[in-house]
Amino acid sequence: MIKKNIPFSPPRIDERIIEEVVDTLRSGWITTGPKTRLFEQRLSSYCGVPATVCVGSATAGLELMLRWYGVGPGDEVILPAYTYAATANVVIHCGAHPVLVDVGNDFNISLSEVEKALSPRTKVIIPVDVAGLPCDYDDLHNLVNRSDVRAFFRAATEEQETLGRIMILADAAHSLGAWYRGIRSGKLADISVFSFHAVKNLTTAEGGAICLNLPAPFDHARLQEYLWIFSLHGQSRDALAKARAGNWKYDILMPGFKCNMTDIQASIGLVELERYDDDMLVRRRDIFQRYAKALEGLSWASLPVFETDLKTSSYHAFLLRLQGIDEEQRDRIIQEITGHGVAVNVHFIPLPMMSWYRNMGYRMEDYPTAYENFSKEISLPVYYDLSPDMQQQVIRALTQVAGKAL
Ligand SMILES: *Cc1c(COP(=O)(O)O)cnc(C)c1O
């Protein structure tokens, strides 16, 4: 067998995608327009939510929703120490304080740690569905709805008054297509935000979507309209409407952001979504199962959880842990695997290890499980075009290197 270099997570770009993008390029309309609106409708039906708004990234989506909820100076937002920086950076952008908490053995935010971190300043909790495995949403909802927790919630805006409690804003960057108790990711929190960045399960090169799932009496159609405007300079009429003859007048209703999705991006997303369940997820599940089968029973391999009675992952990333090693050994093992032409990764370097957050005063020692998970973790390649032969090469490189070291 010829050894190939195996990348970590290249996007699936085939003729179908290229044709759809070319169709947009030839249509005369390349920015936000009919394809973005159609993609939003398809995402809403896929997730079973009343409304979706597509934006330029998950980061932008998370920040828009924090700002919509009125999160600002003096407020706290609880999120896991084990996540990508986007989850915390958006809190800082808003002038609020990120309260980092430790995670569990499954890499997801720990409910008991969330409970300890609650304060009268808590406005939002951002759970992260790490690697595509949904968090414990029933427990989260029970917690924010508990009468003693509701009693110390201090509403400072109309939106906060209406919800009357801490908002659950899911960072669902990894979990499109995942299930929790028969409900899809997107419908598991008050608001969920997906990422369509190039390395994610479904990509639009860059992009994101906000799925709205707020309780009554929130008006989702009105909120969707508001977010369309909020994500485009607060302009009362979008570019497509303005482009129609005689329709040149517009107003600025607020100093909005500029993070709308383009129809070029949406055209990629439409093709991706159409074949997501029957093709992409099937392929990723096969890859997960082959890794699990090859590695289970090896004393040093600790496999990630991806299917339980309650949860089904979106099979975004295969977070393997190597038992009995420390961070330095892990780094050396990664280097050796790379020498075999196999790209692996680490999800994630915890936030307290990043300069900015360390300088804010966060200490890695305060997040022992996050550190434990991180120091032993190696993410294996998972992507559509990873053939069984290539996967064999990954497994061989891994078992050779790890088997020798352990
Ligand atoms: C990728 C990612 C994001 C950011 O997504 P963008 O679309 O790149 O803004 C946020 N959170 C997590 C956990 C991610 O992995």
PDB file of all heavy atoms in Angstrom, residues 45-60:
ATOM      1  N   SER A  45     -36.114  23.719   9.286  1.00  0.00           N
ATOM      2  CA  SER A  45     -36.852  22.448   9.236  1.00  0.00           C
ATOM      3  C   SER A  45     -35.968  21.293   9.681  1.00  0.00           C
ATOM      4  O   SER A  45     -36.443  20.380  10.347  1.00  0.00           O
ATOM      5  CB  SER A  45     -37.490  22.147   7.884  1.00  0.00           C
ATOM      6  OG  SER A  45     -37.002  22.944   6.886  1.00  0.00           O
ATOM      7  N   TYR A  46     -34.702  21.334   9.329  1.00  0.00           N
ATOM      8  CA  TYR A  46     -33.792  20.252   9.743  1.00  0.00           C
ATOM      9  C   TYR A  46     -33.739  20.145  11.264  1.00  0.00           C
ATOM     10  O   TYR A  46     -33.801  19.051  11.819  1.00  0.00           O
ATOM     11  CB  TYR A  46     -32.394  20.499   9.174  1.00  0.00           C
ATOM     12  CG  TYR A  46     -31.401  19.418   9.505  1.00  0.00           C
ATOM     13  CD1 TYR A  46     -31.369  18.228   8.781  1.00  0.00           C
ATOM     14  CD2 TYR A  46     -30.510  19.570  10.569  1.00  0.00           C
ATOM     15  CE1 TYR A  46     -30.467  17.216   9.101  1.00  0.00           C
ATOM     16  CE2 TYR A  46     -29.603  18.573  10.895  1.00  0.00           C
ATOM     17  CZ  TYR A  46     -29.585  17.401  10.156  1.00  0.00           C
ATOM     18  OH  TYR A  46     -28.702  16.404  10.492  1.00  0.00           O
ATOM     19  N   CYS A  47     -33.615  21.287  11.933  1.00  0.00           N
ATOM     20  CA  CYS A  47     -33.471  21.281  13.400  1.00  0.00           C
ATOM     21  C   CYS A  47     -34.816  21.300  14.125  1.00  0.00           C
ATOM     22  O   CYS A  47     -34.861  21.096  15.338  1.00  0.00           O
ATOM     23  CB  CYS A  47     -32.645  22.485  13.849  1.00  0.00           C
ATOM     24  SG  CYS A  47     -30.960  22.465  13.233  1.00  0.00           S
ATOM     25  N   GLY A  48     -35.888  21.591  13.409  1.00  0.00           N
ATOM     26  CA  GLY A  48     -37.195  21.650  14.049  1.00  0.00           C
ATOM     27  C   GLY A  48     -37.397  22.907  14.875  1.00  0.00           C
ATOM     28  O   GLY A  48     -38.102  22.900  15.885  1.00  0.00           O
ATOM     29  N   VAL A  49     -36.771  24.006  14.460  1.00  0.00           N
ATOM     30  CA  VAL A  49     -36.924  25.266  15.192  1.00  0.00           C
ATOM     31  C   VAL A  49     -37.761  26.254  14.378  1.00  0.00           C
ATOM     32  O   VAL A  49     -37.843  26.140  13.158  1.00  0.00           O
ATOM     33  CB  VAL A  49     -35.558  25.913  15.542  1.00  0.00           C
ATOM     34  CG1 VAL A  49     -34.790  25.031  16.499  1.00  0.00           C
ATOM     35  CG2 VAL A  49     -34.731  26.214  14.293  1.00  0.00           C
ATOM     36  N   PRO A  50     -38.378  27.228  15.060  1.00  0.00           N
ATOM     37  CA  PRO A  50     -39.244  28.170  14.337  1.00  0.00           C
ATOM     38  C   PRO A  50     -38.494  29.121  13.404  1.00  0.00           C
ATOM     39  O   PRO A  50     -39.065  29.553  12.409  1.00  0.00           O
ATOM     40  CB  PRO A  50     -39.948  28.950  15.445  1.00  0.00           C
ATOM     41  CG  PRO A  50     -39.192  28.689  16.695  1.00  0.00           C
ATOM     42  CD  PRO A  50     -38.502  27.379  16.522  1.00  0.00           C
ATOM     43  N   ALA A  51     -37.246  29.461  13.703  1.00  0.00           N
ATOM     44  CA  ALA A  51     -36.546  30.418  12.838  1.00  0.00           C
ATOM     45  C   ALA A  51     -35.039  30.298  12.993  1.00  0.00           C
ATOM     46  O   ALA A  51     -34.537  29.944  14.061  1.00  0.00           O
ATOM     47  CB  ALA A  51     -36.981  31.848  13.163  1.00  0.00           C
ATOM     48  N   THR A  52     -34.345  30.601  11.902  1.00  0.00           N
ATOM     49  CA  THR A  52     -32.876  30.551  11.862  1.00  0.00           C
ATOM     50  C   THR A  52     -32.375  31.805  11.160  1.00  0.00           C
ATOM     51  O   THR A  52     -33.020  32.288  10.226  1.00  0.00           O
ATOM     52  CB  THR A  52     -32.422  29.297  11.086  1.00  0.00           C
ATOM     53  OG1 THR A  52     -32.916  28.133  11.748  1.00  0.00           O
ATOM     54  CG2 THR A  52     -30.894  29.200  10.992  1.00  0.00           C
ATOM     55  N   VAL A  53     -31.244  32.313  11.607  1.00  0.00           N
ATOM     56  CA  VAL A  53     -30.605  33.447  10.931  1.00  0.00           C
ATOM     57  C   VAL A  53     -29.160  33.061  10.634  1.00  0.00           C
ATOM     58  O   VAL A  53     -28.414  32.668  11.532  1.00  0.00           O
ATOM     59  CB  VAL A  53     -30.642  34.715  11.815  1.00  0.00           C
ATOM     60  CG1 VAL A  53     -29.815  35.834  11.190  1.00  0.00           C
ATOM     61  CG2 VAL A  53     -32.084  35.173  12.024  1.00  0.00           C
ATOM     62  N   CYS A  54     -28.783  33.130   9.366  1.00  0.00           N
ATOM     63  CA  CYS A  54     -27.406  32.814   8.983  1.00  0.00           C
ATOM     64  C   CYS A  54     -26.528  34.050   9.094  1.00  0.00           C
ATOM     65  O   CYS A  54     -26.961  35.164   8.780  1.00  0.00           O
ATOM     66  CB  CYS A  54     -27.357  32.267   7.555  1.00  0.00           C
ATOM     67  SG  CYS A  54     -27.908  30.559   7.473  1.00  0.00           S
ATOM     68  N   VAL A  55     -25.305  33.825   9.544  1.00  0.00           N
ATOM     69  CA  VAL A  55     -24.354  34.924   9.735  1.00  0.00           C
ATOM     70  C   VAL A  55     -22.977  34.506   9.210  1.00  0.00           C
ATOM     71  O   VAL A  55     -22.803  33.394   8.707  1.00  0.00           O
ATOM     72  CB  VAL A  55     -24.271  35.334  11.231  1.00  0.00           C
ATOM     73  CG1 VAL A  55     -25.480  36.146  11.639  1.00  0.00           C
ATOM     74  CG2 VAL A  55     -24.109  34.118  12.135  1.00  0.00           C
ATOM     75  N   GLY A  56     -22.006  35.406   9.358  1.00  0.00           N
ATOM     76  CA  GLY A  56     -20.677  35.184   8.790  1.00  0.00           C
ATOM     77  C   GLY A  56     -19.815  34.183   9.539  1.00  0.00           C
ATOM     78  O   GLY A  56     -18.842  33.661   8.992  1.00  0.00           O
ATOM     79  N   SER A  57     -20.155  33.914  10.795  1.00  0.00           N
ATOM     80  CA  SER A  57     -19.410  32.936  11.592  1.00  0.00           C
ATOM     81  C   SER A  57     -20.214  32.611  12.849  1.00  0.00           C
ATOM     82  O   SER A  57     -21.121  33.363  13.218  1.00  0.00           O
ATOM     83  CB  SER A  57     -18.045  33.499  12.003  1.00  0.00           C
ATOM     84  OG  SER A  57     -18.209  34.576  12.904  1.00  0.00           O
ATOM     85  N   ALA A  58     -19.834  31.521  13.504  1.00  0.00           N
ATOM     86  CA  ALA A  58     -20.455  31.209  14.792  1.00  0.00           C
ATOM     87  C   ALA A  58     -20.085  32.283  15.812  1.00  0.00           C
ATOM     88  O   ALA A  58     -20.906  32.661  16.658  1.00  0.00           O
ATOM     89  CB  ALA A  58     -19.988  29.836  15.276  1.00  0.00           C
ATOM     90  N   THR A  59     -18.865  32.761  15.727  1.00  0.00           N
ATOM     91  CA  THR A  59     -18.420  33.816  16.647  1.00  0.00           C
ATOM     92  C   THR A  59     -19.363  35.014  16.574  1.00  0.00           C
ATOM     93  O   THR A  59     -19.835  35.509  17.601  1.00  0.00           O
ATOM     94  CB  THR A  59     -16.983  34.253  16.276  1.00  0.00           C
ATOM     95  OG1 THR A  59     -16.155  33.093  16.218  1.00  0.00           O
ATOM     96  CG2 THR A  59     -16.437  35.236  17.276  1.00  0.00           C
ATOM     97  N   ALA A  60     -19.639  35.464  15.348  1.00  0.00           N
ATOM     98  CA  ALA A  60     -20.547  36.602  15.171  1.00  0.00           C
ATOM     99  C   ALA A  60     -21.932  36.275  15.714  1.00  0.00           C
ATOM    100  O   ALA A  60     -22.571  37.119  16.350  1.00  0.00           O
ATOM    101  CB  ALA A  60     -20.621  36.982  13.696  1.00  0.00           C
TER     102      ALA A  60
END
